[in-house]
Amino acid sequence: MKLTTFLNQGKSLQHIKTNIQNGKLLCKWDRGSSPSLCVINRTTLSPENTFGIDGNASPHSLLFGDGENIGYISPTKEEDSFVIRTFSPISSPPMSLVNEVPLKLTRKCMDVMGSTLFDFTYEKRTVVTGADEDSLVMMSGKEFSLIRTVGGKVLYQGKAASLGIKQSNPPNGRWSELAITKSPKIVHISLGHDGLHALLVAEDGSVFFVGTARRGEDGDASGGKARRQPKPSKPRKMSRLESKFVVTSSCNSGTSAVVTRDGELFMFGKDTNHCDSTTGMVNELRDIQVAQVCLGKAHAVVLSTKGSVYTFGINNKGQCGRDFTTQGPAPRDVTSTITMAEDEEETEVDDNLCAPGKHKWVQEVCMICSVCRECTGYGVSCVNSGRKDRNPGMPCGCGAGDSGCSVCGACRVCAEEKMGINELDDRGLLDVMQAGKRGEAGNKKNAKLHLRQAQKIAIEKKMREGVNEGEAEITKVVSLPPAETVIDNSGSPAIQIAVGLHHT
């Protein structure tokens, strides 16, 4: 009771901390910028001896005791640094210093290995953003990388123009803040592999699109095909989702997917075969409470709030986890013959190949085509066709021949130059091209699809010996509708999903 009265009435004691140390009652006494330590009479509760703690001590220091010594921790002039000093119990002034320990606060570090198109550093290095906030998530696309910080800011590195920013690119290794209207706190970001756009989900449920919309992945109802060469845009709200509260998102090269707080799944862009054309909602999952979505190159994986997994899209490499019937009629869930994969290939070719008439053809040694990944001289008829160690741009190994285009790396078939549909006999593809020759030769777009489809089917035939041509074609070209995929026969719910280009 007396101690309480003393503390309440002690007007000269601006800030008091008490501690019983070796039978003494001690108080930290802050007077101006010189904190002191005084001994309080345990009977009268009046100050007795007063000692200066340290002439260099900060008024923001904190007092503590370990039962034997008196100590305090205070900041230093260096950023994120502190010092802890301990003194012997009070006998007579001044107190003697027992120990001094400098401290520096740690920060979360993010290391990167490998290179990107805009950062050719191969060795392992620590990301230094220069920001005051720790980094939480980092992801890279084709032309830029993004980082989300603890405070909800977004930093970028790479080609500023690809984010709609009209200024020079940040120096290599330098990160800059991505300006967003009204500076919302970003709680989630997504960026697809080799993607040209990103989605930024804000704390208030709004979602921002940044980058290039080639196929309507920004949710624009007019679609992305109106402009032949779409321009990148700065972060802007997706107006089509204005009335929705978005909680998470996912991207691939050409598609955007978002999940709302109500468990709805919306998709925009090239992989929307199973979506409502007006709203973008995935129709077959309308009654499913969606928690998370992940997009591969041409397939989607969905996790429900109950732990069920749903997949849809291209299943040519088993990425949907659903098997085709190898005998009898085609599976019932085959609904589309114009596939996401074909659609995607057409987009990629338009973006990456040289313009018609601009190719630079070379006759030296056969190479691996950048599009179909087959020999530029002999296609799937090459003696080395089917080898797994063949990467685009490397020599085929079969010897002298047509090297394809020295700029974009495409073969003549994929570029549709100097080798028309009627010449496909020389590439060993006549058997799968008859329908295209008869019915589609006059349509350039369909001819291109048949050219590419023919090579893909022929390659798959070689890799899947024992499967007849019709089954191989079905496996390759159909887009599976959304359906549940059994993960564990014991019924254990799934808690997390992740995808790559062709795996789940």
Side-chain angles (χ1 to χ4, degrees):
M1 191 66 177
K2 292 182 180 179
L3 179 59
T4 302
T5 303
F6 170 78
L7 294 178
N8 289 336
Q9 295 179 351
K11 297 181 180 180
S12 62
L13 301 179
Q14 298 175 359
H15 178 71
I16 300 177
K17 286 183 179 290
T18 60
N19 188 11
I20 301 296
Q21 194 78 16
N22 289 342
K24 296 183 175 64
L25 179 61
L26 310 175
C27 285
K28 178 189 174 188
W29 188 348
D30 289 343
R31 292 188 299 181
S33 59
S34 301
S36 302
L37 192 66
C38 64
V39 179
I40 303 300
N41 187 295
R42 298 179 62 182
T43 302
T44 64
L45 297 182
S46 59
E48 293 182 345
N49 297 330
T50 301
F51 307 101
I53 297 178
D54 189 334
N56 298 322
S58 166
H60 302 293
S61 59
L62 296 176
L63 181 69
F64 67 91
D66 61 7
E68 295 181 2
N69 296 319
I70 301 297
Y72 72 86
I73 180 172
S74 63
T76 64
K77 294 181 180 181
E78 186 179 352
E79 184 180 0
D80 295 338
S81 295
F82 295 82
V83 62
I84 296 179
R85 294 186 176 91
T86 54
F87 299 85
S88 63
I90 301 173
S91 53
S92 58
M95 289 187 296
S96 58
L97 180 65
V98 175
N99 193 19
E100 180 174 304
V101 180
L103 296 178
K104 186 173 181 64
L105 294 184
T106 60
R107 297 181 68 93
K108 293 180 180 178
C109 295
M110 189 176 291
D111 289 346
V112 176
M113 293 163 282
S115 67
T116 63
L117 293 178
F118 46 87
D119 183 1
F120 293 99
T121 306
Y122 288 90
E123 62 270 12
K124 177 182 175 182
R125 66 268 190 200
T126 298
V127 176
V128 180
T129 64
D132 294 334
E133 302 173 355
D134 283 335
S135 301
L136 281 182
V137 178
M138 177 181 177
M139 48 187 59
S140 290
K142 188 172 184 178
E143 297 180 342
F144 58 87
S145 294
L146 297 179
I147 283 180
R148 179 170 68 89
T149 69
V150 174
K153 295 180 180 179
V154 178
L155 311 177
Y156 74 91
Q157 182 189 58
K159 297 181 180 179
S162 63
L163 294 164
I165 301 173
K166 297 180 180 179
Q167 66 183 44
S168 59
N169 298 329
N172 191 23
R174 181 80 57 84
W175 292 83
S176 301
E177 183 175 353
L178 183 63
I180 306 174
T181 304
K182 296 183 180 180
S183 301
K185 181 178 179 180
I186 302 301
V187 296
H188 178 81
I189 62 175
S190 57
L191 174 57
H193 174 83
D194 253 6
L196 295 175
H197 78 283
L199 297 182
L200 318 174
V201 180
E203 190 176 36
D204 62 0
S206 58
V207 56
F208 293 81
F209 176 94
V210 61
T212 305
R214 301 177 301 170
R215 307 300 298 274
E217 51 265 53
D218 59 348
D220 186 352
S222 64
K225 295 185 178 181
R227 183 190 292 271
R228 179 62 178 171
Q229 293 182 338
K231 294 182 179 179
S233 67
K234 294 180 180 180
R236 54 186 172 86
K237 277 189 178 182
M238 294 181 68
S239 57
R240 208 164 174 184
L241 296 168
E242 198 74 54
S243 61
K244 303 294 181 180
F245 193 106
V246 176
V247 293
T248 187
S249 64
S250 182
C251 300
N252 66 18
S253 183
T255 309
S256 299
V258 299
V259 177
T260 69
R261 184 168 54 184
D262 296 328
E264 302 166 313
L265 174 61
F266 294 86
M267 292 178 61
F268 308 101
K270 69 178 180 62
D271 299 336
T272 53
N273 291 6
H274 310 289
C275 299
D276 185 288
S277 58
T278 303
T279 64
M281 179 181 289
V282 179
N283 295 318
E284 285 91 337
L285 298 179
R286 190 180 298 273
D287 298 326
I288 303 299
Q289 194 79 6
V290 177
Q292 184 185 353
V293 61
C294 291
L295 298 183
K297 185 173 185 179
H299 77 288
V301 183
V302 172
L303 178 66
S304 75
T305 55
K306 295 183 179 181
S308 300
V309 176
Y310 297 81
T311 60
F312 56 97
I314 301 302
N315 191 44
N316 62 310
K317 297 183 180 179
Q319 55 265 52
C320 288
R322 292 151 60 186
D323 295 330
F324 283 96
T325 303
T326 57
Q327 295 181 354
R332 294 181 181 179
D333 57 356
V334 174
T335 62
S336 175
T337 56
I338 300 177
T339 71
M340 291 191 288
E342 289 172 348
D343 218 13
E344 179 188 62
E345 290 292 343
E346 181 188 357
T347 303
E348 292 178 350
V349 171
D350 287 343
D351 289 339
N352 299 329
L353 291 191
C354 298
K358 300 296 184 181
H359 293 281
K360 295 183 179 180
W361 305 111
V362 178
Q363 284 284 338
E364 292 179 354
V365 297
C366 294
M367 305 292 288
I368 304 301
C369 174
S370 60
V371 180
C372 66
R373 300 198 175 196
E374 284 296 327
C375 176
T376 53
Y378 303 97
V380 293
S381 300
C382 177
V383 294
N384 289 335
S385 179
R387 287 177 50 180
K388 296 182 179 180
D389 58 343
R390 294 155 62 87
N391 296 316
M394 68 177 287
C396 175
C398 64
D402 188 348
S403 303
C405 177
S406 62
V407 179
C408 65
C411 66
R412 295 176 189 268
V413 170
C414 292
E416 295 186 275
E417 289 197 14
K418 296 183 181 180
M419 186 176 287
I421 274 185
N422 293 326
E423 299 177 80
L424 286 174
D425 307 40
D426 299 333
R427 303 296 294 268
L429 299 174
L430 183 60
D431 57 331
V432 291
M433 284 300 300
Q434 292 299 330
K437 287 170 60 179
R438 288 193 300 268
E440 308 291 355
N443 185 312
K444 182 178 180 181
K445 177 181 178 181
N446 288 330
K448 183 191 294 185
L449 288 177
H450 277 289
L451 281 165
R452 226 165 279 129
Q453 179 181 332
Q455 287 203 5
K456 290 187 290 186
I457 293 173
I459 293 169
E460 186 177 60
K461 284 176 62 180
K462 285 182 173 291
M463 297 177 63
R464 295 184 46 161
E465 296 182 2
V467 179
N468 66 56
E469 179 182 316
E471 290 165 356
E473 186 171 354
I474 288 175
T475 303
K476 185 68 177 180
V477 300
V478 299
S479 173
L480 297 182
E484 184 173 358
T485 300
V486 178
I487 304 299
D488 184 0
N489 290 326
S490 68
S492 298
I495 60 173
Q496 186 179 358
I497 57 175
V499 303
L501 289 180
H502 304 109
H503 71 275
T504 300

